[in-house]
Amino acid sequence: MTTVDTVTGTAKTMVLNMGPQHPSTHGVLRILLELDGETVVKAVPDLGYLHTGIEKSCEDKTYSQVITLTDRMDYLNPLGNNLVYCLAVEKLLGLAVPKRAQYIRVMMVELQRISSHLVWLGTHAIDLGAMSVFLYCFREREEILNIFEMFSGQRMMTSYIRIGGLALDPPAGWRAAVERFLRMMPGHIDEYEELLTKNRIWIGRTKGIGYISPEDAIALSMTGPTLRAAGVAYDNRKVFPYSSYEEFNFGVPTRTESDCYARYLVRVAEMRESLKIVRQTLDKITNEGPIMAEAPGIIPPQREKMKTEMEALIYHFKIFTEGFSPPPGEAFVTVESPRGELGCFIASDGSSKPLRVHFRSPSYINLQALPRLIEGQLIADVVACIGTIDIILGEVDR
Amino acid sequence: MGDSKIVAEASRQNANVVAECLRSWNPKAVAEVIEFRGETTIVVPRELLRATAERCREDAKLQYNLLSDATCLDRYPAEPRFELSYHLVSIPKREKVRLRVRLGGNDAVVDSLVPVWPGANWLEREIFDLFGIRFTGHPDLRRILLPDDWEGYPLRRDYPVEGYRDVPNTGEMFRKSSTP
């Protein structure tokens, strides 16, 4: 049981339990607030309501079976989770992924970033009382989910990115669908900005709320848009490029105000940058080419080959019964998820199951700064501050 | 892969810089340097962990200002069974390094890094919760993901995936204590 030791110890303050079912906690986050009137004196987050032991389950699965589990951590960024896990296993194996697959990965992850930011914007706005933005954001998110469904057959839990490449070749008509989305999306982002950026109520609820200094943000290990809104241009896509990000031309939006409003502006600017990247991938992705690395014994052989070649059939059987075994060692890979630095640490002991899989989830670590953001603020701002960190409880608790 | 050779070369240079810097500060600080797939791991003696971490953050040649991640690995039944990994990032230098401490099963205690990086707080609580490693000097060492009355440390390798019991741990201890 988590309890709050009241700071003052007098009848002046009261303890208020917020969550775990409160709608603005975006899942099942519980916060114990000690209040002096309407001012928050102390805040203690209490988590674990969604803990499913994914890291333990990973130890009992073969390397390729883990991919479906990663989808279920950060359910607004399943492709990013697939990507970080696959990059870590590929690093352990020393496997090179074909360029075409890398570009398709970049395109999918950037579309995912836009859809994740759309859900964030919609729910953040609804938390602060702007109902209509939510409906617009979900309308456009639907378009992105349709594209995912085209590619992988799934809208959310795609498991599209696999070790060594991708699950499927892009479907017929994918280019037209992505181009259509690219044509309509900039106008829609303008639409959201028209609704919010100069809206007096929006500015009143977010400007100057939830300030954290850049030094404190780094000391608290914050990453992602929350750190960039404090003026630190730390983006894994630029600093430690992966999956050929160094070939793309895009900016890293930053602000210096470090309040909820600045974080909103950073995320909206990021959506526009992501659109730029997706547009560049369209030129780079060729219509023909491999989507999987060549590595017999690790990558499942093509169906056609299995009908004519003995080795292909044997490899297929071995991969799906006992899996493959990377050399003993550890790998840690980080990518930029919509919420910040998403990391995956894998240790191998040379067997076909991982010895340890650990995910550095940005929501979990960013949430740590919540008491710092809200202590001394009004209780109405707690909702704005939770929204601005953009937490996904599935990823916080894992 | 031509790329991976360049990466490995860059990482070796970085490993040399970090190891030399730490050795010139305290010859005992670097017990071992491991290079694998372009990642540098510096094994640090347990009693020097906090001082080394502080050095990594403060030294002008290193500037590892962001604690990206901290996690644990259980090598049961080998001894010392626990390996703590701290992943550090230098935002100004664009470098990464991993500090490692090895801990025995009977004596799984290590200095907390919260005085160096306040962000280590929840990371260490998670390790305490799931591996049962104690951090001395931690301001608030409680379970974080599991209920307070959970038995055992689930991420240890000798903890079965299904748990110790036929029925899941439903927290009856908690209910017993809260009924008057």
Side-chain angles (χ1 to χ4, degrees):
Chain A
M1 236 348 236
T2 305
T3 49
V4 175
D5 300 321
T6 49
V7 178
T8 52
T10 61
K12 227 181 135 195
T13 60
M14 66 171 279
V15 174
L16 184 76
N17 180 51
M18 182 171 173
Q21 296 93 354
H22 194 281
S24 79
T25 56
H26 294 233
V28 279
L29 170 68
R30 175 170 172 240
I31 310 168
L32 288 155
L33 299 166
E34 190 192 346
L35 303 170
D36 178 4
E38 274 202 71
T39 312
V40 179
V41 185
K42 194 177 178 190
V44 181
D46 181 20
L47 3 145
Y49 292 92
L50 269 185
H51 181 62
T52 46
I54 283 181
E55 288 176 6
K56 182 78 177 174
S57 312
C58 290
E59 293 173 9
D60 205 40
K61 303 221 174 294
T62 64
Y63 281 90
S64 18
Q65 283 171 338
V66 172
I67 294 177
T68 46
L69 285 177
T70 64
D71 280 326
R72 282 145 181 87
M73 290 190 314
D74 181 352
Y75 38 79
L76 292 185
N77 181 34
L79 282 155
N81 297 341
N82 293 165
L83 179 66
V84 72
Y85 173 74
C86 291
L87 285 174
V89 178
E90 283 154 12
K91 194 172 189 182
L92 265 182
L93 291 163
L95 200 64
V97 178
K99 279 281 179 192
R100 182 163 180 258
Q102 293 190 17
Y103 298 143
I104 298 175
R105 283 177 173 189
V106 169
M107 181 183 80
M108 298 298 274
V109 172
E110 289 305 320
L111 286 173
Q112 185 86 77
R113 186 183 317 278
I114 298 171
S115 86
S116 172
H117 280 350
L118 284 175
V119 175
W120 168 79
L121 182 60
T123 51
H124 189 38
I126 213 170
D127 285 346
L128 299 183
M131 176 85 188
S132 45
V133 184
F134 177 80
L135 299 171
Y136 289 130
C137 288
F138 268 63
R139 185 184 63 190
E140 273 74 76
R141 174 176 181 255
E142 201 60 27
E143 299 283 336
I144 298 178
L145 294 186
N146 286 341
I147 294 175
F148 291 162
E149 193 177 3
M150 260 182 106
F151 272 81
S152 66
Q154 288 282 332
R155 288 155 53 80
M156 285 182 74
M157 306 300 159
T158 54
S159 297
Y160 181 62
I161 296 174
R162 298 287 167 88
I163 296 161
L166 303 165
L168 297 161
D169 222 24
W174 69 274
R175 213 175 271 271
V178 176
E179 270 167 5
R180 185 173 154 271
F181 175 76
L182 285 178
R183 265 198 310 279
M184 77 176 200
M185 195 59 201
H188 286 310
I189 299 179
D190 294 342
E191 211 173 43
Y192 315 140
E193 286 223 76
E194 251 166 59
L195 280 167
L196 294 174
T197 305
K198 287 182 184 158
N199 184 323
R200 273 183 60 194
I201 306 170
W202 182 255
I203 291 174
R205 289 298 305 273
T206 56
K207 221 170 198 171
I209 306 295
Y211 174 80
I212 187 162
S213 71
E215 294 79 28
D216 283 354
I218 292 177
L220 281 166
S221 302
M222 286 181 102
T223 46
T226 21
L227 182 63
R228 290 193 284 274
V232 183
Y234 177 65
D235 186 322
N236 272 280
R237 293 173 294 173
K238 283 275 186 207
V239 181
F240 305 110
Y242 52 91
S243 204
S244 298
Y245 263 109
E246 66 278 7
E247 296 173 21
F248 293 92
N249 200 352
F250 64 99
V252 178
T254 53
R255 304 286 299 185
T256 49
E257 299 89 342
S258 194
D259 55 6
C260 293
Y261 188 66
R263 284 168 214 139
Y264 154 75
L265 292 176
V266 164
R267 286 197 177 97
V268 171
E270 268 183 21
M271 282 200 256
R272 294 190 199 275
E273 293 301 322
S274 291
L275 286 175
K276 262 192 221 167
I277 300 175
V278 175
R279 196 164 290 126
Q280 291 169 48
T281 56
L282 282 183
D283 301 330
K284 285 179 182 273
I285 301 170
T286 49
N287 284 329
E288 294 289 320
I291 52 157
M292 267 291 189
E294 283 286 332
I298 294 169
I299 308 297
Q302 285 167 0
R303 204 84 211 164
E304 280 308 305
K305 277 192 182 162
M306 281 164 55
K307 291 174 186 163
T308 52
E309 289 173 25
M310 172 92 144
E311 287 78 13
L313 195 62
I314 294 171
Y315 280 137
H316 181 269
F317 182 72
K318 287 195 82 151
I319 289 168
F320 287 101
T321 49
E322 56 188 55
F324 54 83
S325 309
E330 293 103 43
F332 182 64
V333 176
T334 52
V335 303
E336 192 68 24
S337 98
R339 274 154 279 287
E341 183 173 278
L342 172 65
C344 181
F345 172 81
I346 301 185
S348 158
D349 57 355
S351 72
S352 63
K353 289 173 181 173
L355 180 67
R356 170 103 170 96
V357 180
H358 169 75
F359 290 95
R360 183 234 192 254
S361 42
S363 309
Y364 177 73
I365 293 164
N366 289 351
L367 183 60
Q368 203 174 178
L370 182 71
R372 184 72 66 91
L373 295 184
I374 60 180
E375 278 169 6
Q377 307 260 351
L378 296 177
I379 187 163
D381 298 333
V382 173
V383 173
C385 289
I386 297 172
T388 196
I389 303 177
D390 189 12
I391 46 165
I392 298 297
L393 266 297
E395 189 190 45
V396 171
D397 295 340
R398 299 182 303 277
Chain B
M1 268 172 88
D3 283 0
S4 67
K5 260 188 200 147
I6 300 168
V7 171
E9 186 52 42
S11 126
R12 205 163 302 131
Q13 282 171 6
N14 179 38
N16 291 339
V17 171
V18 180
E20 254 170 50
C21 244
L22 291 175
R23 278 205 187 102
S24 67
W25 159 71
N26 184 345
K28 283 186 210 145
V30 182
E32 195 184 336
V33 181
I34 304 168
E35 283 288 321
F36 183 71
R37 301 281 187 230
E39 290 181 7
T40 309
T41 309
I42 300 212
V43 184
V44 180
R46 172 168 69 169
E47 54 283 359
L48 282 173
L49 174 70
R50 192 184 285 167
T52 310
E54 224 155 49
R55 191 71 198 164
C56 284
R57 202 192 60 179
E58 300 300 337
D59 196 308
K61 277 191 228 152
L62 303 175
Q63 297 185 36
Y64 285 99
N65 51 353
L66 179 76
L67 173 68
S68 169
D69 191 21
T71 189
C72 182
L73 169 63
D74 184 5
R75 290 201 183 270
Y76 178 83
E79 274 297 333
R81 63 186 282 192
F82 296 116
E83 279 183 1
L84 282 173
S85 300
Y86 295 88
H87 296 101
L88 314 185
V89 173
S90 164
I91 298 176
K93 300 262 174 191
R94 300 192 166 201
E95 295 284 3
K96 282 183 188 181
V97 78
R98 180 189 297 141
L99 296 185
R100 168 160 301 166
V101 180
R102 298 203 175 105
L103 299 176
N106 299 327
D107 185 24
V109 184
V110 71
D111 280 341
S112 163
L113 289 191
V114 178
V116 188
W117 288 284
N121 190 326
W122 282 17
L123 291 167
E124 288 179 350
R125 271 179 74 186
E126 187 187 332
I127 297 171
F128 165 74
D129 191 359
L130 303 174
F131 285 95
I133 286 166
R134 266 150 236 284
F135 295 90
T136 47
H138 191 288
D140 184 27
L141 200 62
R142 291 181 289 125
R143 283 195 183 269
I144 186 161
L145 294 174
L146 298 174
D148 287 350
D149 62 345
W150 192 272
E151 291 164 24
Y153 301 102
L155 276 184
R156 289 189 174 188
R157 292 291 288 187
D158 50 356
Y159 189 102
V161 179
E162 308 82 19
Y164 285 128
R165 312 181 190 176
D166 293 340
V167 284
N169 188 333
T170 48
E172 55 267 50
M173 270 167 70
F174 162 66
R175 270 198 298 280
K176 234 179 270 165
S177 65
S178 59
T179 43

